[in-house]
Tab-separated table of all heavy atoms in Angstrom:
chain	number	residue	atom	x	y	z
A	562	MET	N	-3.565	0.291	-14.417
A	562	MET	CA	-4.739	0.325	-13.354
A	562	MET	C	-4.326	-0.477	-12.109
A	562	MET	O	-3.885	-1.633	-12.345
A	562	MET	CB	-5.887	-0.192	-14.028
A	562	MET	CG	-7.322	0.125	-13.208
A	562	MET	SD	-7.632	1.813	-13.129
A	562	MET	CE	-8.734	1.996	-14.610
A	563	VAL	N	-4.364	0.037	-11.087
A	563	VAL	CA	-4.005	-0.600	-9.838
A	563	VAL	C	-5.350	-1.004	-9.153
A	563	VAL	O	-6.341	-0.188	-9.014
A	563	VAL	CB	-3.196	0.341	-8.929
A	563	VAL	CG1	-2.773	-0.424	-7.808
A	563	VAL	CG2	-1.911	0.633	-9.772
A	564	ARG	N	-5.353	-2.145	-8.512
A	564	ARG	CA	-6.561	-2.605	-7.752
A	564	ARG	C	-6.305	-2.269	-6.161
A	564	ARG	O	-5.305	-2.583	-5.704
A	564	ARG	CB	-6.867	-3.997	-7.848
A	564	ARG	CG	-7.663	-4.110	-9.133
A	564	ARG	CD	-8.164	-5.657	-9.302
A	564	ARG	NE	-8.770	-5.934	-10.542
A	564	ARG	CZ	-9.953	-5.543	-10.825
A	564	ARG	NH1	-10.747	-5.033	-9.954
A	564	ARG	NH2	-10.386	-5.816	-12.005
A	565	CYS	N	-7.404	-1.894	-5.461
A	565	CYS	CA	-7.383	-1.612	-4.091
A	565	CYS	C	-7.032	-2.993	-3.400
A	565	CYS	O	-7.841	-3.984	-3.739
A	565	CYS	CB	-8.539	-0.971	-3.612
A	565	CYS	SG	-8.646	-0.884	-1.869
A	566	LYS	N	-6.137	-3.146	-2.454
A	566	LYS	CA	-5.991	-4.472	-1.889
A	566	LYS	C	-7.014	-4.727	-0.843
A	566	LYS	O	-7.140	-5.861	-0.371
A	566	LYS	CB	-4.596	-4.349	-1.144
A	566	LYS	CG	-3.487	-4.439	-2.052
A	566	LYS	CD	-2.190	-4.306	-1.376
A	566	LYS	CE	-0.982	-4.179	-2.461
A	566	LYS	NZ	0.162	-3.765	-1.765
A	567	ILE	N	-7.908	-3.845	-0.402
A	567	ILE	CA	-8.975	-4.026	0.531
A	567	ILE	C	-10.287	-4.329	-0.235
A	567	ILE	O	-10.844	-5.376	0.094
A	567	ILE	CB	-9.042	-2.903	1.487
A	567	ILE	CG1	-7.694	-2.770	2.209
A	567	ILE	CG2	-10.259	-3.036	2.458
A	567	ILE	CD1	-7.596	-1.619	3.095
A	568	CYS	N	-10.834	-3.432	-1.064
A	568	CYS	CA	-12.178	-3.589	-1.704
A	568	CYS	C	-12.041	-3.968	-3.018
A	568	CYS	O	-12.928	-4.401	-3.693
A	568	CYS	CB	-12.870	-2.234	-1.550
A	568	CYS	SG	-12.176	-0.919	-2.625
A	569	ASN	N	-10.762	-4.195	-3.482
A	569	ASN	CA	-10.547	-4.683	-4.937
A	569	ASN	C	-11.143	-3.930	-5.929
A	569	ASN	O	-11.173	-4.326	-7.217
A	569	ASN	CB	-11.154	-6.162	-4.934
A	569	ASN	CG	-10.277	-7.114	-5.918
A	569	ASN	OD1	-9.072	-6.900	-6.115
A	569	ASN	ND2	-10.869	-7.966	-6.619
A	570	ASN	N	-11.511	-2.589	-5.695
A	570	ASN	CA	-11.948	-1.787	-6.727
A	570	ASN	C	-10.694	-1.324	-7.528
A	570	ASN	O	-9.650	-1.068	-6.906
A	570	ASN	CB	-12.605	-0.616	-6.124
A	570	ASN	CG	-14.029	-0.695	-5.914
A	570	ASN	OD1	-14.649	-1.494	-6.678
A	570	ASN	ND2	-14.625	-0.073	-4.941
A	571	SER	N	-10.849	-1.083	-8.871
A	571	SER	CA	-9.821	-0.487	-9.647
A	571	SER	C	-10.106	0.897	-9.720
A	571	SER	O	-11.229	1.395	-10.166
A	571	SER	CB	-9.541	-1.209	-10.878
A	571	SER	OG	-10.744	-1.152	-11.648
A	572	SER	N	-9.140	1.777	-9.625
A	572	SER	CA	-9.353	3.211	-9.596
A	572	SER	C	-8.057	4.093	-10.091
A	572	SER	O	-6.993	3.629	-9.783
A	572	SER	CB	-9.877	3.809	-8.334
A	572	SER	OG	-9.712	5.132	-8.247
A	573	LEU	N	-8.181	5.071	-10.771
A	573	LEU	CA	-7.056	5.864	-11.105
A	573	LEU	C	-6.495	6.525	-9.954
A	573	LEU	O	-5.335	6.936	-9.856
A	573	LEU	CB	-7.557	6.921	-12.038
A	573	LEU	CG	-7.856	6.451	-13.598
A	573	LEU	CD1	-8.341	7.638	-14.300
A	573	LEU	CD2	-6.667	5.986	-14.165
A	574	PHE	N	-7.365	6.539	-8.842
A	574	PHE	CA	-6.880	7.207	-7.591
A	574	PHE	C	-6.046	6.384	-6.643
A	574	PHE	O	-5.687	6.846	-5.544
A	574	PHE	CB	-8.118	7.934	-6.919
A	574	PHE	CG	-8.768	8.893	-7.647
A	574	PHE	CD1	-9.891	8.604	-8.360
A	574	PHE	CD2	-8.164	10.147	-7.977
A	574	PHE	CE1	-10.624	9.609	-9.283
A	574	PHE	CE2	-8.725	11.122	-8.814
A	574	PHE	CZ	-9.979	10.796	-9.437
A	575	ILE	N	-5.881	5.154	-6.888
A	575	ILE	CA	-5.133	4.193	-6.162
A	575	ILE	C	-3.592	4.389	-6.481
A	575	ILE	O	-3.446	4.164	-7.699
A	575	ILE	CB	-5.591	2.734	-6.287
A	575	ILE	CG1	-7.136	2.745	-5.961
A	575	ILE	CG2	-4.770	1.892	-5.370
A	575	ILE	CD1	-7.658	1.238	-6.294
A	576	SER	N	-2.851	4.776	-5.607
A	576	SER	CA	-1.435	4.744	-5.944
A	576	SER	C	-0.953	3.382	-5.824
A	576	SER	O	-1.468	2.461	-5.001
A	576	SER	CB	-0.804	5.666	-4.981
A	576	SER	OG	-0.927	5.212	-3.768
A	577	LYS	N	0.123	3.005	-6.564
A	577	LYS	CA	0.696	1.845	-6.562
A	577	LYS	C	1.193	1.406	-5.119
A	577	LYS	O	1.151	0.418	-4.589
A	577	LYS	CB	1.861	1.686	-7.480
A	577	LYS	CG	1.646	0.826	-8.697
A	577	LYS	CD	2.861	0.702	-9.594
A	577	LYS	CE	2.499	-0.147	-10.686
A	577	LYS	NZ	3.700	-0.186	-11.645
A	578	TYR	N	1.577	2.512	-4.456
A	578	TYR	CA	1.951	2.445	-2.992
A	578	TYR	C	1.198	3.407	-2.314
A	578	TYR	O	1.230	4.568	-2.605
A	578	TYR	CB	3.549	2.562	-2.902
A	578	TYR	CG	3.738	2.823	-1.318
A	578	TYR	CD1	4.078	1.679	-0.671
A	578	TYR	CD2	3.971	4.011	-0.818
A	578	TYR	CE1	4.352	1.753	0.637
A	578	TYR	CE2	4.188	4.141	0.515
A	578	TYR	CZ	4.553	2.997	1.201
A	578	TYR	OH	4.865	3.103	2.578
A	579	PRO	N	0.473	2.971	-1.253
A	579	PRO	CA	0.339	1.774	-0.615
A	579	PRO	C	-0.642	0.747	-1.246
A	579	PRO	O	-0.819	-0.350	-0.691
A	579	PRO	CB	-0.073	2.059	0.853
A	579	PRO	CG	-0.945	3.258	0.595
A	579	PRO	CD	-0.340	3.991	-0.517
A	580	GLY	N	-1.407	1.145	-2.139
A	580	GLY	CA	-2.153	0.142	-2.918
A	580	GLY	C	-3.505	-0.071	-2.257
A	580	GLY	O	-4.224	-0.989	-2.424
A	581	VAL	N	-4.069	1.039	-1.653
A	581	VAL	CA	-5.425	1.049	-1.184
A	581	VAL	C	-6.039	2.404	-1.679
A	581	VAL	O	-5.442	3.472	-1.746
A	581	VAL	CB	-5.443	1.021	0.357
A	581	VAL	CG1	-4.978	-0.282	0.972
A	581	VAL	CG2	-4.558	2.218	1.008
A	582	CYS	N	-7.396	2.271	-1.938
A	582	CYS	CA	-8.022	3.499	-2.538
A	582	CYS	C	-8.390	4.558	-1.441
A	582	CYS	O	-8.361	4.152	-0.199
A	582	CYS	CB	-9.343	3.028	-3.279
A	582	CYS	SG	-10.685	2.352	-2.237
A	583	LEU	N	-8.797	5.618	-1.876
A	583	LEU	CA	-9.024	6.790	-0.904
A	583	LEU	C	-10.294	6.457	-0.101
A	583	LEU	O	-10.322	6.698	1.174
A	583	LEU	CB	-9.288	8.087	-1.782
A	583	LEU	CG	-8.033	8.695	-2.220
A	583	LEU	CD1	-8.548	10.018	-2.999
A	583	LEU	CD2	-7.119	9.196	-1.227
A	584	ASP	N	-11.151	5.756	-0.649
A	584	ASP	CA	-12.396	5.239	0.089
A	584	ASP	C	-12.058	4.471	1.338
A	584	ASP	O	-12.449	4.713	2.395
A	584	ASP	CB	-13.345	4.428	-0.629
A	584	ASP	CG	-14.333	5.537	-1.422
A	584	ASP	OD1	-14.198	6.675	-1.302
A	584	ASP	OD2	-15.271	5.005	-2.221
A	585	CYS	N	-11.246	3.417	1.062
A	585	CYS	CA	-10.863	2.622	2.082
A	585	CYS	C	-10.024	3.333	3.099
A	585	CYS	O	-10.053	3.069	4.304
A	585	CYS	CB	-9.975	1.406	1.569
A	585	CYS	SG	-11.096	0.225	0.648
A	586	ILE	N	-9.132	4.240	2.821
A	586	ILE	CA	-8.390	4.934	3.754
A	586	ILE	C	-9.284	5.778	4.512
A	586	ILE	O	-8.979	6.030	5.824
A	586	ILE	CB	-7.363	6.030	2.872
A	586	ILE	CG1	-6.275	5.026	2.263
A	586	ILE	CG2	-6.657	6.881	3.853
A	586	ILE	CD1	-5.291	5.869	1.428
A	587	LYS	N	-10.426	6.333	4.003
A	587	LYS	CA	-11.260	7.219	4.687
A	587	LYS	C	-12.181	6.282	5.565
A	587	LYS	O	-12.509	6.623	6.796
A	587	LYS	CB	-12.179	8.043	3.836
A	587	LYS	CG	-11.520	9.226	3.234
A	587	LYS	CD	-12.268	10.051	2.275
A	587	LYS	CE	-11.519	11.037	1.596
A	587	LYS	NZ	-12.191	11.517	0.431
A	588	THR	N	-12.712	5.231	5.168
A	588	THR	CA	-13.769	4.445	5.844
A	588	THR	C	-13.208	3.284	6.520
A	588	THR	O	-13.867	2.826	7.420
A	588	THR	CB	-14.856	3.973	4.741
A	588	THR	OG1	-14.204	3.108	3.874
A	588	THR	CG2	-15.434	5.160	4.086
A	589	LYS	N	-11.994	2.727	6.119
A	589	LYS	CA	-11.510	1.680	6.883
A	589	LYS	C	-10.135	1.891	7.248
A	589	LYS	O	-9.143	1.133	6.880
A	589	LYS	CB	-11.546	0.297	5.834
A	589	LYS	CG	-13.042	0.079	5.429
A	589	LYS	CD	-12.972	-0.910	4.296
A	589	LYS	CE	-14.326	-1.056	3.659
A	589	LYS	NZ	-14.360	-1.714	2.401
A	590	THR	N	-9.846	2.891	7.806
A	590	THR	CA	-8.664	3.529	8.174
A	590	THR	C	-7.576	2.529	8.783
A	590	THR	O	-6.504	2.442	8.388
A	590	THR	CB	-8.651	4.702	8.948
A	590	THR	OG1	-9.637	5.677	8.404
A	590	THR	CG2	-7.390	5.482	9.090
A	591	ASP	N	-8.248	1.873	9.825
A	591	ASP	CA	-7.220	0.806	10.484
A	591	ASP	C	-6.706	-0.189	9.592
A	591	ASP	O	-5.470	-0.391	9.508
A	591	ASP	CB	-7.967	0.251	11.619
A	591	ASP	CG	-8.211	1.141	12.743
A	591	ASP	OD1	-7.594	2.304	12.743
A	591	ASP	OD2	-8.966	0.840	13.703
A	592	LYS	N	-7.736	-0.769	8.801
A	592	LYS	CA	-7.117	-1.862	7.860
A	592	LYS	C	-6.335	-1.183	6.739
A	592	LYS	O	-5.360	-1.950	6.381
A	592	LYS	CB	-8.442	-2.455	7.264
A	592	LYS	CG	-8.105	-3.927	6.652
A	592	LYS	CD	-9.297	-4.624	6.186
A	592	LYS	CE	-8.922	-5.868	5.528
A	592	LYS	NZ	-10.092	-6.506	4.992
A	593	ALA	N	-6.715	-0.148	6.386
A	593	ALA	CA	-5.926	0.495	5.210
A	593	ALA	C	-4.498	0.822	5.648
A	593	ALA	O	-3.506	0.518	4.982
A	593	ALA	CB	-6.593	1.842	4.714
A	594	LEU	N	-4.337	1.303	6.759
A	594	LEU	CA	-3.090	1.569	7.418
A	594	LEU	C	-2.278	0.279	7.645
A	594	LEU	O	-0.974	0.377	7.406
A	594	LEU	CB	-3.156	2.338	8.763
A	594	LEU	CG	-3.610	3.797	8.594
A	594	LEU	CD1	-3.747	4.326	10.088
A	594	LEU	CD2	-2.601	4.593	7.880
A	595	LYS	N	-2.877	-0.859	8.000
A	595	LYS	CA	-2.243	-1.979	8.126
A	595	LYS	C	-1.631	-2.569	6.913
A	595	LYS	O	-0.581	-3.047	6.691
A	595	LYS	CB	-3.192	-2.998	8.751
A	595	LYS	CG	-2.425	-4.114	9.488
A	595	LYS	CD	-3.427	-5.120	10.045
A	595	LYS	CE	-2.609	-6.402	10.526
A	595	LYS	NZ	-3.562	-7.521	10.747
A	596	VAL	N	-2.609	-2.467	5.868
A	596	VAL	CA	-2.176	-2.845	4.487
A	596	VAL	C	-1.057	-1.919	3.986
A	596	VAL	O	0.005	-2.533	3.422
A	596	VAL	CB	-3.383	-2.863	3.549
A	596	VAL	CG1	-2.715	-2.946	2.003
A	596	VAL	CG2	-4.324	-3.809	3.783
A	597	ALA	N	-1.068	-0.695	4.220
A	597	ALA	CA	-0.072	0.193	3.815
A	597	ALA	C	1.279	-0.174	4.553
A	597	ALA	O	2.409	-0.107	3.929
A	597	ALA	CB	-0.387	1.615	4.021
A	598	PHE	N	1.174	-0.518	5.818
A	598	PHE	CA	2.314	-0.761	6.524
A	598	PHE	C	3.012	-2.067	6.117
A	598	PHE	O	4.157	-2.126	6.099
A	598	PHE	CB	1.849	-0.955	8.128
A	598	PHE	CG	2.974	-1.189	9.088
A	598	PHE	CD1	3.961	-0.296	9.291
A	598	PHE	CD2	3.141	-2.442	9.636
A	598	PHE	CE1	5.093	-0.412	10.184
A	598	PHE	CE2	4.257	-2.669	10.574
A	598	PHE	CZ	5.164	-1.624	10.721
A	599	GLU	N	2.210	-3.030	5.756
A	599	GLU	CA	2.700	-4.273	5.319
A	599	GLU	C	3.480	-4.100	3.904
A	599	GLU	O	4.571	-4.605	3.757
A	599	GLU	CB	1.606	-5.302	5.011
A	599	GLU	CG	1.037	-5.927	6.426
A	599	GLU	CD	2.026	-6.501	7.240
A	599	GLU	OE1	2.827	-7.310	6.722
A	599	GLU	OE2	2.141	-6.239	8.376
A	600	ALA	N	2.857	-3.267	3.070
A	600	ALA	CA	3.431	-2.885	1.761
A	600	ALA	C	4.758	-2.164	2.044
A	600	ALA	O	5.771	-2.441	1.257
A	600	ALA	CB	2.527	-2.091	0.948
A	601	HIS	N	4.826	-1.357	2.998
A	601	HIS	CA	6.042	-0.577	3.369
A	601	HIS	C	7.080	-1.554	3.784
A	601	HIS	O	8.203	-1.441	3.411
A	601	HIS	CB	5.690	0.435	4.485
A	601	HIS	CG	6.861	1.357	4.844
A	601	HIS	ND1	7.419	2.142	3.874
A	601	HIS	CD2	7.524	1.389	5.868
A	601	HIS	CE1	8.556	2.743	4.483
A	601	HIS	NE2	8.550	2.382	5.791
A	602	LYS	N	6.685	-2.447	4.653
A	602	LYS	CA	7.647	-3.458	5.089
A	602	LYS	C	8.249	-4.203	4.040
A	602	LYS	O	9.493	-4.459	3.830
A	602	LYS	CB	7.056	-4.415	6.078
A	602	LYS	CG	6.885	-3.898	7.478
A	602	LYS	CD	6.777	-4.963	8.599
A	602	LYS	CE	5.660	-6.005	8.310
A	602	LYS	NZ	5.444	-6.768	9.508
A	603	LYS	N	7.347	-4.741	3.124
A	603	LYS	CA	7.884	-5.526	1.902
A	603	LYS	C	8.839	-4.683	1.087
A	603	LYS	O	9.723	-5.223	0.581
A	603	LYS	CB	6.633	-5.992	1.091
A	603	LYS	CG	6.093	-7.249	1.697
A	603	LYS	CD	4.743	-7.683	0.844
A	603	LYS	CE	4.053	-8.754	1.888
A	603	LYS	NZ	2.698	-8.962	1.334
A	604	SER	N	8.390	-3.420	0.771
A	604	SER	CA	9.272	-2.592	-0.034
A	604	SER	C	10.619	-2.338	0.564
A	604	SER	O	11.604	-2.316	-0.027
A	604	SER	CB	8.539	-1.284	-0.398
A	604	SER	OG	8.456	-0.419	0.615
A	605	ARG	N	10.671	-2.308	1.933
A	605	ARG	CA	11.936	-2.093	2.581
A	605	ARG	C	12.753	-3.349	2.564
A	605	ARG	O	13.955	-3.156	2.410
A	605	ARG	CB	11.672	-1.811	4.211
A	605	ARG	CG	11.284	-0.380	4.430
A	605	ARG	CD	11.031	0.003	5.754
A	605	ARG	NE	12.509	-0.139	6.466
A	605	ARG	CZ	12.754	-0.184	7.867
A	605	ARG	NH1	11.472	0.157	8.637
A	605	ARG	NH2	13.652	-0.401	8.344
A	606	LEU	N	12.128	-4.432	2.560
A	606	LEU	CA	12.850	-5.682	2.376
A	606	LEU	C	13.496	-5.796	0.961
A	606	LEU	O	14.656	-6.247	0.890
A	606	LEU	CB	11.927	-7.011	2.638
A	606	LEU	CG	11.568	-7.331	3.988
A	606	LEU	CD1	10.676	-8.491	4.063
A	606	LEU	CD2	12.893	-7.595	4.769
A	607	VAL	N	12.845	-5.300	-0.046
A	607	VAL	CA	13.117	-5.467	-1.361
A	607	VAL	C	14.358	-4.372	-1.494
A	607	VAL	O	15.321	-4.744	-2.162
A	607	VAL	CB	11.999	-5.128	-2.401
A	607	VAL	CG1	12.550	-5.006	-3.662
A	607	VAL	CG2	11.075	-6.324	-2.254
A	608	TYR	N	14.202	-3.286	-1.009
A	608	TYR	CA	15.187	-2.200	-1.363
A	608	TYR	C	16.242	-2.072	-0.291
A	608	TYR	O	17.302	-1.406	-0.683
A	608	TYR	CB	14.391	-0.856	-1.528
A	608	TYR	CG	13.425	-0.933	-2.746
A	608	TYR	CD1	12.079	-0.796	-2.453
A	608	TYR	CD2	14.041	-1.000	-4.026
A	608	TYR	CE1	11.247	-0.843	-3.677
A	608	TYR	CE2	13.210	-1.026	-5.075
A	608	TYR	CZ	11.885	-0.912	-4.874
A	608	TYR	OH	11.082	-0.974	-5.999
A	609	SER	N	16.206	-2.627	0.857
A	609	SER	CA	17.142	-2.481	1.913
A	609	SER	C	18.607	-2.809	1.526
A	609	SER	O	19.408	-1.972	1.946
A	609	SER	CB	16.732	-3.229	3.162
A	609	SER	OG	16.660	-4.518	2.879
A	610	PRO	N	18.887	-3.789	0.720
A	610	PRO	CA	20.338	-4.092	0.390
A	610	PRO	C	20.966	-2.951	-0.210
A	610	PRO	O	22.052	-2.665	-0.049
A	610	PRO	CB	20.047	-5.280	-0.475
A	610	PRO	CG	18.912	-6.077	-0.157
A	610	PRO	CD	17.957	-4.811	0.234
A	611	GLU	N	20.189	-2.208	-1.171
A	611	GLU	CA	20.740	-1.061	-1.808
A	611	GLU	C	21.101	0.108	-0.814
A	611	GLU	O	22.137	0.754	-1.052
A	611	GLU	CB	19.823	-0.530	-2.894
A	611	GLU	CG	19.595	-1.477	-3.958
A	611	GLU	CD	18.496	-1.083	-4.919
A	611	GLU	OE1	18.413	0.219	-5.102
A	611	GLU	OE2	17.822	-1.861	-5.458
A	612	PHE	N	20.274	0.187	0.289
A	612	PHE	CA	20.635	1.168	1.046
A	612	PHE	C	21.760	0.823	2.155
A	612	PHE	O	22.369	1.700	2.679
A	612	PHE	CB	19.380	1.628	2.025
A	612	PHE	CG	18.258	2.333	1.109
A	612	PHE	CD1	17.086	1.569	0.833
A	612	PHE	CD2	18.613	3.642	0.564
A	612	PHE	CE1	16.047	2.327	0.033
A	612	PHE	CE2	17.657	4.273	-0.128
A	612	PHE	CZ	16.401	3.565	-0.484
A	613	ILE	N	21.877	-0.433	2.340
A	613	ILE	CA	22.957	-0.928	3.298
A	613	ILE	C	24.345	-0.601	2.682
A	613	ILE	O	25.153	-0.011	3.370
A	613	ILE	CB	22.708	-2.404	3.699
A	613	ILE	CG1	21.528	-2.608	4.479
A	613	ILE	CG2	24.042	-2.853	4.273
A	613	ILE	CD1	21.181	-3.950	4.657
A	614	ASN	N	24.345	-0.959	1.373
A	614	ASN	CA	25.703	-0.649	0.624
A	614	ASN	C	25.816	0.730	0.314
A	614	ASN	O	26.090	1.475	-0.089
A	614	ASN	CB	25.810	-1.486	-0.557
A	614	ASN	CG	25.875	-3.003	-0.138
A	614	ASN	OD1	26.553	-3.331	0.892
A	614	ASN	ND2	25.048	-3.880	-0.842
B	220	ZN	ZN1	-10.581	0.308	-1.441
């Protein structure tokens, strides 16, 4: 079970990435996109060495 990073609800509909629920994406789009963007940046930092080589 994954928790939404914005409203902290747990839901089957929250994907691990970006980690925000559909409600927040619909109602708090700006914040949800920001959270998703931050998650994306972090995942790129984690995975980028593999792509460089
Ligand atoms: Zn949410």
Side-chain angles (χ1 to χ4, degrees):
M562 192 69 86
V563 180
R564 276 185 189 278
C565 173
K566 286 175 181 165
I567 296 171
C568 66
N569 214 32
N570 274 335
S571 56
S572 164
L573 290 174
F574 298 106
I575 302 171
S576 59
K577 255 186 178 173
Y578 170 83
V581 290
C582 68
L583 287 177
D584 269 2
C585 285
I586 290 172
K587 283 178 188 165
T588 63
K589 302 167 190 165
T590 308
D591 286 350
K592 196 175 179 186
L594 285 177
K595 202 180 169 197
V596 170
F598 183 68
E599 291 299 315
H601 182 63
K602 275 203 306 194
K603 279 176 192 163
S604 69
R605 278 184 63 187
L606 282 178
V607 170
Y608 294 115
S609 59
E611 293 174 31
F612 289 116
I613 290 170
N614 295 317

